[in-house]
């Protein structure tokens, strides 16, 4: 079963990670969901697929009243990101969902209507959870053509979606945080080479990320990078050959 574990807390300002599920069916990719809480108000990032809604909802309910969730943040349109939308709206119809304007006629196939979505322009946007400022950071073509990450400048946390994603084999399953960068990055390499299709977009993101204060980089798959491993990842990603050229023989 999934568990909801706090990775940051400063008074009423908290981040919780709904961590990986070792009991999931092996035909589903494992995912992380992150809950940002500010004085009783919450935002859930990439809430996951319909298949795992019950597990995510149960894990969150162990720690907070899910009614405190007032918004969802969808980094992009994939089913493992947001196909649970209809179930979340069944639970709380007034929920709003932040996502790229590119997907405002695609994601409604999972649920919602014109009142559900807060459409983000390509340049990103400043958001607020109560009095807590957050930023939707452009990450287009990494891997989706309309893609955003979420930055919390107070906690110095960047939710990075598929950037940084890594799935370790069961024999080397990790905890919440990366503890052996060199081993961990081996699990990330193949995914990033194939799924990150634009060198220009990759370098633009790396430049943005390097200029930000980031204590934790939190991907949607795999362990969290923290401390010096954040810069290590950015530098590794900047140098990695990605995209179509990796298919050439």
């Amino acid at each position: 079963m999934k568990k909801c574990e706090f990775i940051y807390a400063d008074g009423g300002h908290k981040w919780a990670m709904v961590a990986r599920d070792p009991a999931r069916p092996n035909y589903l990719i494992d995912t992380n969901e992150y809950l940002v809480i500010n004085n009783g108000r919450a935002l859930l990032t990439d809430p996951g697929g319909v298949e795992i809604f019950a597990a995510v909802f149960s894990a969150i309910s162990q720690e907070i009243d899910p009614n405190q969730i007032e918004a969802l943040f969808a980094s992009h349109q994939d089913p493992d990101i947001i196909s649970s939308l209809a179930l979340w709206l069944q639970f709380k119809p007034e929920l709003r969902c932040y996502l790229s304007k590119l997907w405002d006629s695609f994601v409604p196939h999972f649920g919602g209507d014109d009142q559900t979505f807060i459409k983000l322009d390509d340049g990103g946007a400043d958001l607020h959870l109560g009095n807590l400022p957050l930023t939707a950071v452009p990450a287009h073509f990494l891997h989706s053509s309309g893609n955003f990450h979420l930055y919390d400048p107070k906690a110095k946390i960047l939710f990075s979606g598929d950037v940084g994603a890594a799935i370790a084999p069961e024999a080397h399953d990790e905890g919440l945080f990366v503890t052996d960068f060199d081993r961990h990055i081996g699990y990330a390499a193949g995914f990033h080479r194939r799924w990150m299709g634009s060198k220009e977009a990759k370098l633009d993101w790396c430049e943005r990320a390097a200029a930000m204060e980031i204590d934790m980089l939190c991907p949607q798959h795999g362990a969290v990078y923290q401390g010096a491993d954040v810069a290590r990842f950015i530098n590794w990603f900047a140098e990695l050959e990605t995209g179509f050229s990796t298919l050439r023989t």
Side-chain angles (χ1 to χ4, degrees):
M1 293 294 292
K2 278 182 170 284
K3 294 182 180 179
C4 187
E5 302 186 53
F6 288 98
I7 59 174
Y8 171 89
D10 181 9
H13 179 205
K14 302 177 182 179
W15 276 73
M17 178 179 178
V18 184
R20 301 175 299 282
D21 183 2
R24 80 191 188 286
N26 60 12
Y27 55 81
L28 292 177
I29 189 170
D30 214 349
T31 58
N32 304 322
E33 294 73 38
Y34 298 91
L35 190 68
V36 191
I37 305 164
N38 181 48
N39 296 321
R41 305 174 71 171
L43 177 150
L44 180 62
T45 67
D46 286 5
V50 63
E51 288 276 0
I52 65 166
F53 170 79
V56 172
F57 191 88
S58 176
I60 290 172
S61 299
Q62 300 299 312
E63 298 295 341
I64 71 165
D65 179 354
N67 279 294
Q68 293 178 15
I69 301 172
E70 60 186 43
L72 309 175
F73 180 90
S75 61
H76 58 290
Q77 82 290 357
D78 278 358
D80 65 320
I81 301 294
I82 194 62
S83 68
S84 62
L85 177 61
L87 295 173
W88 282 104
L89 291 172
Q90 184 177 349
F91 162 68
K92 190 172 182 180
E94 64 270 29
L95 278 174
R96 308 297 302 278
C97 180
Y98 294 96
L99 83 168
S100 167
K101 65 181 182 181
L102 290 187
W103 307 124
D104 67 346
S105 59
F106 289 81
V107 171
H109 284 278
F110 296 136
D113 55 29
D114 284 342
Q115 301 304 308
T116 303
F117 301 103
I118 301 174
K119 303 164 191 176
L120 301 172
D121 289 328
D122 285 344
D126 293 326
L127 321 177
H128 286 86
L129 183 63
N131 63 358
L132 176 67
L134 301 168
T135 302
V137 179
H140 308 306
F141 304 102
L142 301 175
H143 61 90
S144 171
S145 55
N147 204 100
F148 287 96
H149 296 164
L150 187 68
Y151 180 59
D152 180 341
K154 182 178 179 183
K156 300 179 182 178
I157 289 174
L158 178 66
F159 165 69
S160 59
D162 282 322
V163 173
I167 302 294
E170 289 186 12
H172 296 104
D173 194 22
E174 300 172 294
L176 295 183
F177 297 97
V178 174
T179 56
D180 183 337
F181 181 86
D182 291 334
R183 185 178 73 175
H184 177 85
I185 210 66
Y187 307 137
F191 174 81
H192 286 74
R193 288 192 184 102
R194 181 62 187 251
W195 287 91
M196 305 301 164
S198 169
K199 178 180 179 180
E200 182 180 3
K202 177 194 70 168
L203 293 176
D204 177 77
W205 181 89
C206 288
E207 184 176 351
R208 288 178 189 269
M212 299 163 70
E213 291 187 87
I214 304 173
D215 286 346
M216 280 186 271
L217 190 146
C218 299
Q220 195 222 356
H221 308 282
V224 171
Y225 304 82
Q226 63 177 339
D229 283 341
V230 173
R232 289 191 186 103
F233 172 78
I234 295 169
N235 292 335
W236 171 86
F237 190 34
E239 296 296 325
L240 185 70
E241 185 178 5
T242 60
F244 186 76
S245 64
T246 64
L247 297 179
R248 295 173 183 163
T249 58

